[in-house]
Amino acid sequence: MNEMIETLLNDCKGARIIDANCNIFDARRLFQSLMDRDRDSKRAGITPKDVFEVPLKVHFEYTSQCNMDCLFCYNTSSTSREQGLDTDEIVRTIEEMAVIGVMEVGLSGGEVFCDQKLLLRIIKMLNDHSIAISIKTNGWFLNERTVEKLSPYTFQSIDVSIDGSSETVHDRMRAKPGSWRKAIHALKLLKEAGVYSKAACLVTGENVESLEDYIDLCFYLGAKEVMFTPCIMFGRAAQNKDRMGLTEQQFEEASSIIVRKHLQYRGFMKTYLALDFGYEILSKVLLTQNSCVIRSDGSVHPSCLIPISFGNIRDQKLKDIWNSGLNRLLTKKEVQDFVSTLKFEKTATLRLLRTSLTQDVVHCYHA
């Protein structure tokens, strides 16, 4: 295992990573520093000496229902998909999270506001158990009445997806006329209600040229953060990769704009690249893990970028799945095989690029 770790560190040598504060690091030095800090935290008793026995954070994609058919959806959520997990399965999973000590849950889908009654029940359950909540939404269903129903609760953030500075690009990518105006209105309503809100933007070849205007718009709307992510080439995104993907030059341009606007609005609004593919994957396999993803079919993954399932909450306990190797990723042959296929672009300016991802899910258990 030590040999594999050293190989991974050497493979990313020379590549650079941009963090959430727009600081730029040499990838190898960054991970070596993080691993040293991880080790020191264990020695000091700040974190467990071995592994976390339960996940502290769960990204819960409990539904695949959506009112849109976005060209880039890595979950292939749509208006025609069934919900995913049923209410009993969702409730049972949340109850287990509360019992084992999960501290934070991120809710997404699909579109979680498609079934507002169920969503409010989930929020109340999490709130009653003092579990921190964040939500991702396309904003379509957020009106004055809906925001009022959310007012009794506290959220870490509600992220509204807005994918351009004008409705032309956004509505085309979302395949839903009127969706940009709905999202803009939702962000305004959240600001007026005092809810900590982020604007979430998927950077693609369709909107990269208007990012500067987009960030200025978000500041005007009162967003606390503007979060950019590149397209994850799974699902419909893989089918539309020629339109959704970025060339190296486009990514460099986007990164420069993000850094420049981050400096311009520092202290007022945070602007950052949220998901660096290489960083996300390497941090999962090299550092002590404390989070996982539950998909709408019940399967449990280390990350939305790692297509390896460790079990299914429909017939297993989350804690049992976690301790089956999800908290010790490099001990699993399936993960070792996946990691051995990763290839990093050394010429990238601000991130590890071109990880050779596949959307074929590998199972680490007997389904």
Side-chain angles (χ1 to χ4, degrees):
M1 188 184 301
N2 288 336
E3 184 178 345
M4 174 168 284
I5 291 173
E6 189 60 31
T7 299
L8 281 171
L9 291 173
N10 286 332
D11 283 349
C12 66
K13 186 178 181 180
R16 288 187 282 175
I17 285 178
I18 182 171
D19 72 359
N21 292 311
C22 289
N23 298 311
I24 301 171
F25 299 93
D26 174 84
R28 193 193 195 289
R29 290 181 180 177
L30 174 63
F31 277 106
Q32 188 63 63
S33 174
L34 291 173
M35 290 169 65
D36 291 344
R37 188 177 68 180
D38 202 15
R39 179 201 60 214
D40 292 343
S41 294
K42 291 180 178 181
R43 288 177 177 173
I46 298 171
T47 55
K49 291 188 179 298
D50 189 10
V51 294
F52 284 99
E53 294 183 358
V54 297
L56 302 184
K57 179 178 180 178
V58 175
H59 184 70
F60 197 12
E61 301 173 352
Y62 66 85
T63 180
S64 53
Q65 272 191 330
C66 190
N67 60 313
M68 299 185 189
D69 294 283
C70 303
L71 300 180
F72 48 76
C73 184
Y74 85 99
N75 279 333
T76 322
S77 301
S78 73
T79 55
S80 60
R81 289 285 298 270
E82 295 182 358
Q83 176 177 315
L85 296 171
D86 64 33
T87 301
D88 289 343
E89 291 167 334
I90 293 168
V91 168
R92 186 177 68 246
T93 301
I94 294 174
E95 288 174 343
E96 185 191 353
M97 290 182 195
V99 169
I100 66 176
V102 171
M103 300 175 69
E104 179 182 347
V105 172
L107 302 173
S108 71
E111 172 52 49
V112 295
F113 282 94
C114 279
D115 187 339
Q116 293 185 36
K117 184 178 179 180
L118 175 60
L119 175 61
L120 289 170
R121 182 178 178 183
I122 292 170
I123 291 171
K124 185 179 187 305
M125 286 184 68
L126 294 171
N127 184 79
D128 288 348
H129 291 296
S130 300
I131 299 174
I133 308 165
S134 59
I135 296 176
K136 296 185 185 299
T137 177
N138 60 38
W140 183 273
F141 298 104
L142 278 173
N143 53 34
E144 288 82 355
R145 185 178 178 185
T146 304
V147 172
E148 184 179 353
K149 291 178 181 178
L150 298 174
S151 61
Y153 308 105
T154 300
F155 301 92
Q156 278 199 321
S157 73
I158 296 182
D159 306 347
V160 181
S161 296
I162 305 174
D163 297 309
S165 58
S166 70
E167 59 188 318
T168 304
V169 172
H170 175 101
D171 290 4
R172 183 168 64 241
M173 288 170 58
R174 297 260 162 191
K176 186 79 168 180
S179 57
W180 183 81
R181 292 184 180 274
K182 289 272 193 177
I184 295 294
H185 184 58
L187 197 58
K188 287 181 178 179
L189 289 176
L190 291 171
K191 178 194 175 185
E192 292 168 0
V195 177
Y196 192 93
S197 53
K198 301 178 189 176
C201 178
L202 193 78
V203 186
T204 72
E206 299 260 310
N207 63 11
V208 67
E209 294 182 358
S210 60
L211 289 188
E212 200 151 0
D213 291 339
Y214 172 82
I215 295 171
D216 292 337
L217 172 65
C218 292
F219 179 72
Y220 168 76
L221 293 173
K224 298 294 185 182
E225 299 182 24
V226 184
M227 180 175 62
F228 294 95
T229 58
C231 201
I232 301 173
M233 291 300 171
F234 295 166
R236 275 198 298 276
Q239 300 166 16
N240 296 289
K241 61 183 179 181
D242 291 340
R243 295 173 62 184
M244 297 297 103
L246 291 174
T247 66
E248 200 71 40
Q249 182 177 352
Q250 286 175 324
F251 181 78
E252 294 294 339
E253 178 186 348
S255 300
S256 297
I257 292 171
I258 292 168
V259 172
R260 185 169 67 251
K261 302 302 277 189
H262 170 82
L263 295 174
Q264 178 182 339
Y265 289 117
R266 178 177 284 174
F268 299 98
M269 182 179 73
K270 188 175 181 180
T271 302
Y272 61 99
L273 186 67
L275 186 62
D276 175 295
F277 292 170
Y279 178 85
E280 169 76 7
I281 294 172
L282 288 180
S283 64
K284 282 288 179 183
V285 299
L286 294 177
L287 305 177
T288 301
Q289 286 314 297
N290 61 10
S291 65
C292 63
V293 177
I294 301 176
R295 307 296 296 273
S296 62
D297 63 356
S299 61
V300 184
H301 299 248
S303 162
C304 58
L305 290 172
I306 301 179
I308 301 174
S309 172
F310 280 74
N312 196 296
I313 59 167
R314 282 179 158 152
D315 49 33
Q316 296 170 274
K317 296 288 189 181
L318 177 59
K319 185 176 180 179
D320 293 339
I321 297 172
W322 177 258
N323 286 299
S324 70
L326 195 48
N327 55 355
R328 301 172 183 267
L329 290 179
L330 277 183
T331 65
K332 306 296 288 188
K333 183 180 183 301
E334 293 86 350
V335 176
Q336 294 175 15
D337 291 344
F338 171 75
V339 168
S340 68
T341 68
L342 300 181
K343 302 183 188 306
F344 300 109
E345 191 73 41
K346 298 298 181 62
T347 58
T349 304
L350 297 176
R351 66 168 181 171
L352 297 170
L353 288 176
R354 313 297 185 216
T355 51
S356 51
L357 299 177
T358 171
Q359 60 184 9
D360 297 325
V361 175
V362 175
H363 295 281
C364 271
Y365 68 104
H366 297 293

